[in-house]
Amino acid sequence: MGFNTDALHKGFVKDQSFGATITPIYQVSAFSYENMETLEKVFSGRAGGFAYTRIGNPTVASFEQRINALEHGCGAVATSSGMSAITLALLNFLSSGDEIIASTGLYGGTIQLFSVLKQFDIKVIYTNDFSPANLEKLISPKVKAVFAETISNPGLDIIDIKELADFVHTKGIPLLVDNTTATPYLVNPIDLGCDIVVHSSSKYINGSADSISGVIIDSGKFKWDFEKFPALSDYKLFGNLSYLVRLRKHSWASFGACLAPLNAYLNLVGLETLGLRMERICSNAKKLAEALNGFEGISVNYPLLEGNKNKALADKELKGFGGGIISLRAGTKERAFKIINSLKTALVASNIGDVRTLVIYPASTLYLHNTIDEMNSAGVFDDTIRVSVGIEDADDLIEDFKRAIEI
């Protein structure tokens, strides 16, 4: 079926009690049973059911099943935030002394998280070149993961997922992709060979900026070497599913980064219109980028603009879409602030993926704790404006931005 049909129906389990058309909010901490024997079986996994919301809840499970269906995975685990999703996705199989190869263009919060991993003796090697020739130079026996974003935020670089996955698999290394900015509407990384997908579902999946959440989707296809990845060795009985089983039964449950039922419900509501919103958002972003391109003193970065280095890959990998983020360079910090403060329609806020258009000066906010080199490598400069385009009428957005630039 098509994406919008799948978003409404795939992975949905009909409510057997009252026939609710969307999974209700099970806002409870624990679930009771008729006897201790049954609860014992639920805890041990010998019987289906839920025992305690930190380790499972019907509303959260419904969200997991439905996003997993859209991402074509074998299973998903929802978390309390996008950052907790990235943290658990990696710590579920990495050990002290391991190394990660990651894109230099990562979101500032992810770079900050990776600096924390140094405390666990996990090193991150950054690169802006994922070509097999360059990776061959970087990969050593210590490298146990490659991590990148589908569309970097806010640099807007696009990775060739299939080429990258095919190469790292020859080295026995899994590929993890943050698909927040593209969403499964634009691309399914698992179909291209990615092993683990993460989302900050607070963004486009939720769509209305009313909940914080994250989700990890496992492809179930990576062949784990349990000598190379000893953290998974106790779960080797499950083969390719060892990652998912350990994540749910051990890492996720132990760290306690569970998603609240209410937030899972709000994500379910947003998920059903994801395709419609992404189509409108991407259309608006392209129109706005084209309208602002060529303004004196303004440099526009958007993958679908003619001459953009990412256009060919966007056409091939993202179904001809360019995503919902535009980066502008205004020349100076003062002019960037003047433009931002002069906008009437767009809101000054740090989120992306909202139905409303949002703008921010990332250098002193999102990248507050990053070095100048880290910022520049991520496409953030002292005159950069990040625009997260919403679903407003495109003509109104264009008029508002032109007016703000011309003031």
Side-chain angles (χ1 to χ4, degrees):
M1 295 184 181
F3 183 90
N4 292 312
T5 306
D6 281 345
L8 290 170
H9 300 287
K10 199 171 184 180
F12 175 67
V13 179
K14 185 178 180 181
D15 175 48
Q16 298 299 319
S17 299
F18 300 103
T21 58
I22 190 169
T23 306
I25 306 169
Y26 288 86
Q27 192 66 34
V28 297
S29 299
F31 301 82
S32 67
Y33 289 85
E34 292 296 323
N35 52 67
M36 188 60 224
E37 287 81 2
T38 303
L39 181 57
E40 182 182 64
K41 290 179 181 178
V42 172
F43 258 89
S44 65
R46 291 181 289 119
F50 299 92
Y52 188 58
T53 285
R54 177 170 59 82
I55 55 176
N57 177 283
T59 313
V60 177
S62 180
F63 171 61
E64 292 169 339
Q65 291 161 8
R66 293 178 71 175
I67 188 63
N68 178 66
L70 291 180
E71 280 288 18
H72 306 167
C74 74
V77 174
T79 66
S80 56
S81 68
M83 297 314 302
S84 65
I86 295 172
T87 302
L88 291 173
L90 291 165
L91 293 186
N92 188 51
F93 69 98
L94 294 179
S95 301
S96 177
D98 288 345
E99 296 180 354
I100 305 165
I101 295 176
S103 168
T104 53
L106 296 179
Y107 165 63
T110 305
I111 296 173
Q112 188 177 350
L113 165 65
F114 285 175
S115 71
V116 175
L117 293 183
K118 293 178 182 177
Q119 297 174 221
F120 302 92
D121 193 26
I122 296 174
K123 179 184 176 182
V124 179
I125 303 167
Y126 290 101
T127 181
N128 60 2
D129 181 0
F130 279 113
S131 68
N134 186 58
L135 288 175
E136 194 75 61
K137 301 173 187 175
L138 300 178
I139 290 175
S140 72
K142 290 185 176 182
V143 173
K144 302 293 178 64
V146 173
F147 184 94
E149 295 172 350
T150 311
I151 308 173
S152 66
N153 166 26
L156 307 184
D157 288 324
I158 301 172
I159 59 165
D160 189 324
I161 299 171
K162 187 177 187 309
E163 180 182 79
L164 180 55
D166 287 348
F167 179 75
V168 299
H169 287 164
T170 66
K171 305 296 183 180
I173 299 171
L175 172 62
L176 290 80
V177 168
D178 185 334
N179 201 31
T180 299
T181 48
T183 80
Y185 182 70
L186 270 58
V187 64
N188 291 119
I190 288 173
D191 290 351
L192 299 176
C194 173
D195 303 296
I196 298 156
V197 174
V198 297
H199 285 274
S200 172
S201 44
S202 320
K203 311 300 191 296
Y204 295 98
I205 289 172
N206 172 268
S208 295
D210 55 17
S211 70
I212 300 295
S213 56
V215 65
I216 306 164
I217 304 100
D218 180 20
S219 71
K221 297 177 182 178
F222 188 74
K223 293 178 173 56
W224 296 97
D225 179 337
F226 299 107
E227 291 186 6
K228 185 174 183 176
F229 301 97
L232 299 176
S233 60
D234 288 346
Y235 295 83
K236 61 184 178 182
L237 174 67
F238 298 95
N240 291 1
L241 299 180
S242 59
Y243 175 91
L244 182 64
V245 176
R246 185 180 196 266
L247 177 64
R248 182 168 293 282
K249 297 295 184 181
H250 185 77
S251 302
W252 173 71
S254 299
F255 272 88
C258 58
L259 179 59
L262 174 59
N263 287 349
Y265 176 82
L266 294 171
N267 283 346
L268 284 169
V269 174
L271 192 62
E272 296 187 340
T273 62
L274 175 61
L276 301 177
R277 287 184 286 105
M278 285 304 293
E279 185 172 5
R280 174 63 173 245
I281 286 169
C282 291
S283 173
N284 278 358
K286 184 173 184 287
K287 290 177 181 177
L288 181 60
E290 290 174 340
L292 300 183
N293 196 31
F295 261 78
E296 184 178 352
I298 296 292
S299 175
V300 182
N301 180 18
Y302 187 67
L304 293 189
L305 290 177
E306 291 298 331
N308 188 286
K309 64 179 180 179
N310 291 290
K311 188 178 188 306
L313 196 51
D315 288 336
K316 181 184 79 168
E317 188 170 273
L318 304 180
K319 305 170 187 172
F321 291 102
I325 298 174
I326 299 171
S327 289
L328 308 176
R329 293 194 64 180
T332 65
K333 176 180 179 179
E334 290 71 25
R335 191 182 185 201
F337 270 49
K338 185 178 180 180
I339 292 171
I340 291 172
N341 294 338
S342 299
L343 291 166
K344 302 298 183 184
T345 304
L347 304 179
V348 182
S350 63
N351 198 20
I352 62 170
D354 198 338
V355 289
R356 304 156 192 82
T357 295
L358 310 176
V359 294
I360 196 168
Y361 178 78
S364 60
T365 55
L366 307 174
Y367 286 80
L368 178 63
H369 302 292
N370 299 105
T371 66
I372 296 295
D373 286 343
E374 287 172 344
M375 285 194 293
N376 293 170
S377 295
V380 176
F381 304 93
D382 61 2
D383 62 344
T384 299
I385 301 170
R386 187 189 72 180
V387 184
S388 173
V389 181
I391 64 170
E392 298 94 342
D393 291 306
D395 288 345
D396 294 331
L397 290 176
I398 292 169
E399 181 181 351
D400 191 22
F401 274 84
K402 282 185 174 181
R403 182 192 52 77
I405 291 170
E406 291 171 343
I407 289 177

